[in-house]
Amino acid sequence: NNISAIFVYSLSRLNRNTENHLAIRGLLSRAGVTLISLSEPTENTPVGQFIETIFAATAQMENETRAVNESNSLRRRFFEGNITSKPPFGYLMQKINSKSIAVKDPKTFDIMQEMWKKVAFEGWTLGDVAKHLNKEGVVSVQNRLFKQWTSKALTKIFSNKFYMGILVSEKYGETPGKHDPMVDDILYYRVREIMAGRRPKSSHYHSLREDFKLRKTLRCKDCGRAMTSSWATARNGEKIPLYYCQ
C-alpha cells in the first residue's frame, strides 16, 4: 500500500452520513491510511475519533435539515399556486418580482387552445392534432428530445389538469394554480370524456357551443325554462341561427 494518508478539506466532503463515515473511517484505518481534515482537528486517538464522530454527525444533521427546508419551501410554493417544475407545452417560466411563474407562451398558447376546441367540438382525434401541429411546424421546446408530435405525447397534454388551472403533485395532491388556464373545467372534462370513448354529457355541449353563446342562458318569457338553439335552413339555403323554448 503506497497510500499513507487521505486529505479532505472538510469531513463533510467525505460523506454526510455518520454511519457511512464511520464505515469508511474503519476501512481506511485497517488499511493503515490516515484521514486528515484541513479545516478540522483529526487525531488517531480516542478523543480525536470522538470529536471526528461529532463533526460527521453535525454534517449529517445540516444535510438533513437543508433537505427538510427545501421540501417545506417546495410545499409552500405549491400551495401558493406556483408551479415547482417545468411548465407544460403552451407555457413558459418567467421571472416576475424575483419569482419564477408560469406565463402564456405567445408562440404556442393560442395554437394549443385551438386544438382543445378542435377535439371538443369538431371531432378531431389526437392523430388529427398531431398531423396538424407537425404540418405547421409547431415544436415543443420543453422536450429537448422532441422530434415530432404523436398521439401518445398529446395524450399527456390532454390529460394534464394544469391546462384548466390546477396544479397536481403526487406528494401534495391538488391545488388551484396562479397561472392563466388554457381551458375551463367544462371543456377539459368534455375532452377527457371524448378521449375515454364516452359521449360527452349534453349539458357540457350546450354550455360551450361557440355559435350559440347564449344557449341555456336565455329564458322563455312564457314558462321561464332555459332556451335551446339550433341552425335552420331558409328556402334560399341560408343558415339561420334560432333560439327556442324546449
Side-chain angles (χ1 to χ4, degrees):
N1 182 9
N2 297 324
I3 301 175
S4 59
I6 291 180
F7 292 85
V8 293
Y9 174 75
S10 169
L11 294 175
S12 62
R13 297 296 187 267
L14 179 66
N15 198 282
R16 292 182 181 272
N17 180 280
T18 307
E19 184 178 353
N20 292 342
H21 175 88
L22 294 176
I24 295 172
R25 187 71 168 82
L27 290 174
L28 294 175
S29 179
R30 287 192 293 273
V33 179
T34 302
L35 178 64
I36 301 174
S37 171
L38 299 178
S39 59
E40 298 141 336
T42 48
E43 299 177 2
N44 194 22
T45 63
V47 174
Q49 292 177 9
F50 174 72
I51 295 175
E52 183 179 323
T53 303
I54 292 177
F55 281 127
T58 301
Q60 179 177 342
M61 180 195 68
E62 291 175 347
N63 191 51
E64 293 176 350
T65 300
R66 188 181 302 110
V68 169
N69 290 339
E70 290 176 356
S71 177
N72 289 339
S73 177
L74 288 174
R75 184 179 186 279
R76 181 174 62 254
R77 179 175 171 78
F78 176 81
F79 283 108
E80 287 176 350
N82 296 306
I83 189 171
T84 57
S85 58
K86 186 183 296 184
F89 180 74
Y91 292 86
L92 295 172
M93 291 298 280
Q94 188 175 91
K95 283 276 188 179
I96 298 180
N97 296 328
S98 300
K99 290 186 177 181
S100 296
I101 65 172
V103 298
K104 297 178 182 178
D105 181 350
K107 295 181 180 180
T108 60
F109 184 90
D110 292 340
I111 295 174
M112 198 62 229
Q113 189 177 56
E114 183 64 22
M115 294 303 98
W116 279 88
K117 295 177 182 179
K118 291 290 187 183
V119 175
F121 301 118
E122 299 184 26
W124 280 33
T125 64
L126 297 189
D128 294 329
V129 175
K131 183 178 180 180
H132 175 78
L133 294 177
N134 290 328
K135 181 180 179 181
E136 296 298 318
V138 179
V139 299
S140 174
V141 297
Q142 283 83 351
N143 185 355
R144 283 182 284 181
L145 301 178
F146 177 83
K147 293 183 179 180
Q148 66 176 3
W149 290 102
T150 63
S151 297
K152 183 178 180 179
L154 289 169
T155 297
K156 294 180 180 179
I157 286 181
F158 288 108
S159 303
N160 193 340
K161 290 185 176 181
F162 185 91
Y163 290 103
M164 70 168 181
I166 301 296
L167 301 182
V168 179
S169 167
E170 293 183 1
K171 186 175 183 180
Y172 305 128
E174 297 184 3
T175 191
K178 286 185 176 180
H179 62 283
D180 293 326
M182 185 176 290
V183 299
D184 60 23
D185 58 337
I186 298 177
L187 179 54
Y188 174 85
Y189 284 113
R190 175 178 173 81
V191 170
R192 294 298 299 143
E193 288 176 356
I194 292 173
M195 290 175 61
R198 297 190 295 268
R199 183 178 179 181
K201 296 180 181 178
S202 59
S203 59
H204 290 187
Y205 178 73
H206 293 326
S207 300
L208 287 170
R209 284 207 55 171
E210 293 291 328
D211 45 359
F212 293 103
K213 296 184 181 298
L214 297 179
R215 193 171 192 171
K216 294 297 180 180
T217 299
L218 292 177
R219 297 283 174 175
C220 175
K221 67 176 182 179
D222 296 323
C223 67
R225 296 176 63 185
M227 300 179 71
T228 188
S229 58
S230 65
W231 288 94
T233 304
R235 292 183 179 180
N236 61 1
E238 181 183 0
K239 292 288 186 179
I240 303 174
L242 296 176
Y243 288 95
Y244 53 90
C245 180
Q246 301 183 75

Coordinates of all heavy atoms in Angstrom, one line a residue, residues 87-91 108-109 111-116 119 126 129-130 133 138-143 146 148-166 182-183 187-188 191-192 195:
P87 N -43.0 24.1 -16.8 CA -44.4 24.1 -17.3 C -44.7 23.3 -18.5 O -43.7 23.1 -19.3 CB -44.7 25.6 -17.5 CG -43.3 26.1 -17.8 CD -42.3 25.3 -17.0
P88 N -45.9 22.9 -18.8 CA -46.2 22.1 -20.0 C -46.2 23.0 -21.3 O -46.1 24.2 -21.2 CB -47.5 21.5 -19.7 CG -48.2 22.5 -18.8 CD -47.1 23.0 -17.9
F89 N -46.4 22.3 -22.4 CA -46.4 23.0 -23.7 C -47.5 24.1 -23.7 O -48.6 23.9 -23.2 CB -46.7 22.0 -24.8 CG -46.8 22.6 -26.1 CD1 -45.7 23.0 -26.8 CD2 -48.0 22.7 -26.8 CE1 -45.7 23.5 -28.1 CE2 -48.1 23.2 -28.0 CZ -47.0 23.6 -28.7
G90 N -47.1 25.2 -24.2 CA -48.1 26.4 -24.2 C -47.8 27.4 -23.2 O -48.3 28.5 -23.2
Y91 N -46.8 27.1 -22.3 CA -46.4 28.0 -21.2 C -44.9 28.1 -21.1 O -44.2 27.3 -21.6 CB -46.9 27.5 -19.8 CG -48.4 27.5 -19.7 CD1 -49.2 26.5 -20.1 CD2 -49.1 28.6 -19.1 CE1 -50.6 26.5 -20.0 CE2 -50.4 28.7 -18.9 CZ -51.2 27.6 -19.4 OH -52.6 27.7 -19.3
T108 N -47.2 29.6 -28.7 CA -47.9 28.3 -28.8 C -49.2 28.3 -28.0 O -50.0 27.3 -28.2 CB -47.0 27.2 -28.2 OG1 -46.6 27.5 -26.9 CG2 -45.7 27.1 -29.1
F109 N -49.4 29.2 -27.1 CA -50.6 29.2 -26.2 C -51.9 29.1 -27.0 O -52.8 28.2 -26.9 CB -50.6 30.3 -25.2 CG -51.8 30.3 -24.3 CD1 -51.6 29.7 -23.0 CD2 -53.0 30.9 -24.5 CE1 -52.7 29.6 -22.1 CE2 -54.1 30.8 -23.6 CZ -53.9 30.2 -22.4
I111 N -52.4 28.4 -30.2 CA -52.4 27.3 -31.0 C -53.0 26.1 -30.3 O -53.8 25.3 -30.7 CB -51.0 26.9 -31.6 CG1 -50.5 28.1 -32.5 CG2 -51.0 25.6 -32.3 CD1 -49.1 27.9 -33.0
M112 N -52.4 25.8 -29.0 CA -52.8 24.7 -28.3 C -54.3 24.9 -27.8 O -55.0 23.9 -27.7 CB -51.9 24.5 -27.1 CG -52.0 23.1 -26.4 SD -51.5 21.8 -27.6 CE -52.8 20.7 -27.4
Q113 N -54.7 26.1 -27.5 CA -56.0 26.3 -27.0 C -57.0 26.0 -28.1 O -58.1 25.4 -27.9 CB -56.2 27.8 -26.6 CG -57.5 28.1 -26.0 CD -57.5 29.6 -25.5 OE1 -57.4 30.5 -26.4 NE2 -57.8 29.8 -24.3
E114 N -56.6 26.3 -29.4 CA -57.5 26.0 -30.5 C -57.6 24.5 -30.7 O -58.6 23.9 -31.1 CB -56.9 26.6 -31.8 CG -57.7 26.4 -33.0 CD -59.1 27.0 -33.0 OE1 -59.3 28.0 -32.2 OE2 -60.0 26.6 -33.7
M115 N -56.5 23.7 -30.4 CA -56.5 22.3 -30.5 C -57.5 21.6 -29.5 O -58.2 20.7 -29.9 CB -55.1 21.7 -30.3 CG -54.1 22.1 -31.4 SD -54.6 21.6 -33.0 CE -55.2 23.2 -33.7
W116 N -57.6 22.2 -28.3 CA -58.6 21.7 -27.4 C -60.0 21.9 -28.0 O -60.9 20.9 -27.8 CB -58.5 22.5 -26.1 CG -57.4 22.1 -25.2 CD1 -56.1 22.5 -25.2 CD2 -57.5 21.1 -24.1 NE1 -55.4 21.9 -24.2 CE2 -56.2 21.1 -23.5 CE3 -58.5 20.4 -23.6 CZ2 -56.0 20.2 -22.4 CZ3 -58.3 19.5 -22.5 CH2 -57.0 19.4 -21.9
V119 N -60.8 19.3 -30.8 CA -61.1 17.9 -30.2 C -62.5 18.0 -29.6 O -63.3 17.0 -29.8 CB -60.1 17.5 -29.2 CG1 -60.5 16.2 -28.5 CG2 -58.7 17.3 -29.8
L126 N -56.7 12.7 -31.7 CA -55.3 13.1 -31.3 C -54.4 13.0 -32.5 O -53.4 13.7 -32.7 CB -54.8 12.3 -30.2 CG -55.6 12.5 -28.9 CD1 -54.8 11.8 -27.7 CD2 -55.8 13.9 -28.5
V129 N -54.7 16.1 -34.5 CA -54.0 17.2 -33.9 C -52.5 17.1 -34.2 O -51.8 18.1 -34.5 CB -54.2 17.2 -32.4 CG1 -53.4 18.3 -31.7 CG2 -55.7 17.5 -32.1
A130 N -52.0 15.9 -34.0 CA -50.5 15.6 -34.2 C -50.2 16.0 -35.7 O -49.2 16.6 -35.9 CB -50.2 14.2 -33.9
L133 N -50.2 19.9 -36.1 CA -49.1 20.5 -35.5 C -47.8 20.3 -36.2 O -46.9 21.2 -36.4 CB -48.9 20.1 -34.0 CG -50.1 20.5 -33.1 CD1 -49.9 19.9 -31.7 CD2 -50.2 22.0 -33.0
V138 N -45.0 23.2 -35.6 CA -45.0 23.6 -34.2 C -44.1 22.6 -33.4 O -44.3 21.4 -33.6 CB -46.5 23.5 -33.6 CG1 -46.5 23.9 -32.2 CG2 -47.4 24.5 -34.4
V139 N -43.2 23.1 -32.6 CA -42.3 22.3 -31.9 C -42.5 22.5 -30.4 O -42.9 23.6 -30.0 CB -40.8 22.5 -32.3 CG1 -40.6 22.2 -33.7 CG2 -40.4 24.0 -32.0
S140 N -42.1 21.5 -29.6 CA -42.1 21.6 -28.2 C -40.7 21.9 -27.6 O -39.9 21.0 -27.7 CB -42.7 20.3 -27.6 OG -42.6 20.3 -26.1
V141 N -40.6 23.1 -27.1 CA -39.2 23.5 -26.6 C -39.0 22.9 -25.2 O -37.9 22.8 -24.7 CB -39.1 25.0 -26.5 CG1 -39.1 25.6 -27.9 CG2 -40.2 25.6 -25.6
Q142 N -40.1 22.4 -24.6 CA -40.0 21.8 -23.2 C -39.2 20.4 -23.3 O -38.6 20.0 -22.3 CB -41.4 21.5 -22.6 CG -42.0 22.8 -22.1 CD -42.7 23.6 -23.1 OE1 -42.6 23.4 -24.3 NE2 -43.4 24.6 -22.7
N143 N -39.3 19.8 -24.5 CA -38.7 18.4 -24.6 C -37.5 18.5 -25.5 O -37.6 18.8 -26.7 CB -39.7 17.5 -25.2 CG -39.2 16.0 -25.2 OD1 -38.0 15.8 -24.9 ND2 -40.0 15.1 -25.6
F146 N -37.4 16.3 -28.5 CA -38.6 16.3 -29.4 C -38.2 16.2 -30.8 O -37.3 16.8 -31.3 CB -39.3 17.7 -29.2 CG -40.5 17.9 -30.1 CD1 -41.7 17.4 -29.8 CD2 -40.3 18.6 -31.3 CE1 -42.8 17.6 -30.6 CE2 -41.4 18.8 -32.1 CZ -42.6 18.3 -31.8
Q148 N -41.2 14.9 -33.3 CA -42.5 15.3 -33.9 C -43.6 14.9 -32.9 O -43.4 14.2 -32.0 CB -42.7 14.6 -35.2 CG -42.8 13.1 -35.1 CD -43.1 12.4 -36.5 OE1 -43.1 13.1 -37.5 NE2 -43.3 11.1 -36.5
W149 N -44.8 15.5 -33.2 CA -45.9 15.2 -32.3 C -46.5 13.8 -32.6 O -46.5 13.4 -33.8 CB -47.0 16.3 -32.6 CG -46.6 17.6 -32.1 CD1 -46.2 18.7 -32.8 CD2 -46.6 18.0 -30.7 NE1 -45.9 19.7 -32.0 CE2 -46.2 19.4 -30.7 CE3 -47.0 17.4 -29.5 CZ2 -46.1 20.1 -29.5 CZ3 -46.8 18.1 -28.3 CH2 -46.4 19.4 -28.3
T150 N -46.9 13.1 -31.6 CA -47.5 11.8 -31.7 C -48.8 11.8 -30.8 O -48.9 12.6 -29.9 CB -46.6 10.7 -31.3 OG1 -46.3 10.9 -29.8 CG2 -45.3 10.7 -32.0
S151 N -49.7 10.9 -31.1 CA -50.9 10.7 -30.3 C -50.5 10.5 -28.8 O -51.2 11.0 -27.9 CB -51.7 9.6 -30.8 OG -52.2 9.9 -32.1
K152 N -49.4 9.7 -28.6 CA -49.0 9.4 -27.2 C -48.6 10.6 -26.5 O -49.0 10.8 -25.3 CB -47.9 8.4 -27.3 CG -47.4 7.9 -25.9 CD -46.3 6.9 -26.0 CE -45.8 6.4 -24.6 NZ -44.8 5.4 -24.7
A153 N -47.8 11.5 -27.1 CA -47.4 12.7 -26.5 C -48.6 13.6 -26.2 O -48.6 14.3 -25.1 CB -46.4 13.4 -27.3
L154 N -49.5 13.7 -27.1 CA -50.7 14.5 -26.9 C -51.6 14.0 -25.8 O -52.4 14.8 -25.2 CB -51.4 14.7 -28.2 CG -50.7 15.5 -29.3 CD1 -51.4 15.4 -30.6 CD2 -50.7 17.0 -28.9
T155 N -51.6 12.7 -25.6 CA -52.5 12.1 -24.5 C -52.1 12.7 -23.2 O -52.9 13.0 -22.4 CB -52.3 10.6 -24.5 OG1 -52.8 10.0 -25.7 CG2 -53.1 10.0 -23.3
K156 N -50.8 12.9 -23.0 CA -50.3 13.5 -21.7 C -50.8 15.0 -21.6 O -51.1 15.4 -20.5 CB -48.8 13.4 -21.7 CG -48.2 12.0 -21.6 CD -46.7 12.0 -21.5 CE -46.2 10.6 -21.4 NZ -44.7 10.6 -21.4
I157 N -50.8 15.7 -22.7 CA -51.2 17.1 -22.7 C -52.7 17.2 -22.4 O -53.1 18.0 -21.5 CB -50.9 17.7 -24.1 CG1 -49.4 18.0 -24.2 CG2 -51.6 19.0 -24.2 CD1 -48.9 18.7 -25.5
F158 N -53.5 16.4 -23.1 CA -54.9 16.5 -22.9 C -55.4 15.8 -21.6 O -56.6 15.7 -21.4 CB -55.7 15.9 -24.1 CG -55.6 16.8 -25.3 CD1 -54.8 16.5 -26.4 CD2 -56.2 18.0 -25.4 CE1 -54.7 17.3 -27.5 CE2 -56.2 18.9 -26.5 CZ -55.4 18.5 -27.6
S159 N -54.5 15.3 -20.8 CA -54.8 14.7 -19.5 C -54.3 15.6 -18.4 O -54.5 15.2 -17.2 CB -54.2 13.3 -19.4 OG -54.7 12.4 -20.5
N160 N -53.6 16.6 -18.7 CA -53.0 17.5 -17.7 C -53.9 18.5 -17.2 O -54.3 19.4 -17.9 CB -51.7 18.1 -18.3 CG -50.8 18.7 -17.3 OD1 -51.2 19.0 -16.1 ND2 -49.5 18.9 -17.7
K161 N -54.2 18.5 -15.9 CA -55.1 19.4 -15.3 C -54.5 20.8 -15.2 O -55.2 21.8 -14.9 CB -55.5 19.0 -13.9 CG -56.5 17.8 -13.9 CD -56.9 17.4 -12.5 CE -57.9 16.3 -12.5 NZ -58.4 15.9 -11.1
F162 N -53.2 21.0 -15.4 CA -52.6 22.3 -15.4 C -53.3 23.2 -16.4 O -53.4 24.4 -16.1 CB -51.1 22.1 -15.8 CG -50.3 23.4 -15.7 CD1 -49.7 23.8 -14.6 CD2 -50.2 24.3 -16.8 CE1 -48.9 24.9 -14.5 CE2 -49.5 25.4 -16.8 CZ -48.9 25.8 -15.6
Y163 N -53.8 22.6 -17.5 CA -54.4 23.5 -18.6 C -55.7 24.1 -18.1 O -56.2 25.0 -18.7 CB -54.6 22.6 -19.8 CG -53.3 22.3 -20.5 CD1 -52.7 21.1 -20.4 CD2 -52.6 23.3 -21.3 CE1 -51.5 20.8 -21.0 CE2 -51.4 23.0 -21.9 CZ -50.9 21.8 -21.8 OH -49.7 21.5 -22.4
M164 N -56.4 23.5 -17.1 CA -57.6 24.1 -16.5 C -57.3 24.8 -15.2 O -58.2 25.1 -14.5 CB -58.7 23.1 -16.4 CG -58.5 22.0 -15.3 SD -60.1 21.2 -15.0 CE -59.6 20.1 -13.7
G165 N -56.0 25.1 -14.9 CA -55.7 25.9 -13.8 C -55.4 25.2 -12.5 O -55.4 25.8 -11.4
I166 N -55.2 23.9 -12.6 CA -55.0 23.0 -11.4 C -53.6 22.5 -11.4 O -53.1 21.9 -12.3 CB -56.0 21.9 -11.3 CG1 -57.4 22.4 -11.3 CG2 -55.7 21.0 -10.0 CD1 -57.8 23.3 -10.0
M182 N -55.7 27.5 -19.7 CA -56.0 27.5 -21.2 C -57.4 27.2 -21.5 O -58.0 27.6 -22.5 CB -55.0 26.5 -21.8 CG -55.1 26.4 -23.3 SD -53.9 25.3 -24.1 CE -52.3 26.2 -23.7
V183 N -58.0 26.3 -20.7 CA -59.4 25.9 -20.9 C -60.1 25.9 -19.5 O -59.5 25.9 -18.5 CB -59.5 24.5 -21.5 CG1 -58.8 24.5 -22.8 CG2 -58.9 23.5 -20.6
L187 N -64.8 22.4 -20.5 CA -64.1 22.0 -21.8 C -63.1 20.8 -21.5 O -63.0 19.9 -22.3 CB -63.4 23.2 -22.4 CG -62.6 22.9 -23.7 CD1 -63.5 22.2 -24.7 CD2 -62.1 24.2 -24.3
Y188 N -62.4 21.0 -20.4 CA -61.4 19.9 -20.0 C -62.0 18.6 -19.9 O -61.6 17.6 -20.5 CB -60.7 20.3 -18.7 CG -59.7 19.2 -18.2 CD1 -58.4 19.1 -18.7 CD2 -60.2 18.3 -17.3 CE1 -57.6 18.2 -18.2 CE2 -59.3 17.3 -16.8 CZ -58.0 17.2 -17.3 OH -57.2 16.2 -16.9
V191 N -63.3 17.0 -23.2 CA -62.3 16.4 -24.0 C -61.9 15.0 -23.4 O -61.6 14.0 -24.0 CB -61.0 17.3 -24.1 CG1 -59.9 16.5 -24.7 CG2 -61.4 18.5 -25.0
R192 N -61.8 15.0 -22.0 CA -61.5 13.8 -21.3 C -62.5 12.7 -21.6 O -62.2 11.5 -21.8 CB -61.4 14.0 -19.8 CG -60.3 14.9 -19.4 CD -58.9 14.3 -19.7 NE -58.7 13.1 -19.0 CZ -58.1 12.1 -19.6 NH1 -57.6 12.1 -20.8 NH2 -57.9 10.9 -18.9
M195 N -61.9 11.4 -25.1 CA -60.7 10.5 -25.2 C -61.0 9.2 -24.6 O -60.4 8.2 -24.9 CB -59.5 11.2 -24.5 CG -59.0 12.4 -25.2 SD -57.7 13.3 -24.2 CE -56.5 12.0 -24.1

